[in-house]
Amino acid sequence: MSLGEIDSAHDPLEHRSSGYSRDAPEALVGIIISSIVLMPEGYAAVRAARRNRLQTSLNLTLGSALASIGFTIPAVAIISLLTGRMLTLGLEAKETVLLLLSLFVATLSLNTGRTTVLQGTVHLVIFAVYLFTVIVP
């Protein structure tokens, strides 16, 4: 065995277990990070919804998400161009369908000028379906 080869039978990291699965989808990491980033606005949106101010809650949620996405994606694209790395957003067919569906529902919600609990529930169901398809491909 040369110095550059790794003997898989004697892998020192093989016996160390952190308790986390190495088979977890990479998209799950992105969901966790984006949840942490959007947590302050999400908390404010939940507080507004509890005060029966659904329009304010929806505005907070959609505004913060769009601002985060609107600044993050171009920044990552510019960095990938400067470093010469390829950028893959990773939207497969099912994610694209759910994205278009959520944009359609958001358009319907915002065009009426008022939001209802039913519209919010539809958004949560779409999000739950997305989480399910990420965790169970």
Side-chain angles (χ1 to χ4, degrees):
M1 178 166 87
S2 71
L3 211 51
E5 290 181 67
I6 296 176
D7 186 7
S8 62
H10 297 91
D11 185 8
L13 298 178
E14 182 178 53
H15 299 292
R16 293 183 193 172
S17 176
S18 62
Y20 299 108
S21 172
R22 292 184 182 177
D23 297 332
E26 291 178 4
L28 188 60
V29 175
I31 291 172
I32 292 169
I33 291 172
S34 63
S35 298
I36 292 170
V37 169
L38 296 174
M39 195 177 298
E41 289 88 358
Y43 179 69
V46 168
R47 285 182 47 205
R50 284 187 177 174
R51 291 187 208 135
N52 204 20
R53 299 175 68 196
L54 294 177
Q55 187 65 48
T56 302
S57 175
L58 187 64
N59 290 345
L60 278 168
T61 306
L62 290 176
S64 66
L66 289 175
S68 296
I69 293 168
F71 290 128
T72 304
I73 298 290
V76 170
I78 290 170
I79 290 171
S80 71
L81 287 174
L82 294 175
T83 60
R85 293 184 178 204
M86 186 174 162
L87 175 65
T88 305
L89 295 178
L91 290 177
E92 296 178 10
K94 59 186 172 186
E95 285 93 1
T96 305
V97 168
L98 289 172
L99 176 65
L100 293 174
L101 181 62
S102 65
L103 290 174
F104 176 71
V105 172
T107 303
L108 290 177
S109 298
L110 295 175
N111 276 343
T112 60
R114 295 195 46 88
T115 57
T116 63
V117 174
L118 179 62
Q119 291 167 334
T121 304
V122 171
H123 283 282
L124 289 176
V125 167
I126 294 171
F127 182 63
V129 169
Y130 173 72
L131 285 179
F132 181 76
T133 59
V134 165
I135 296 170
V136 183

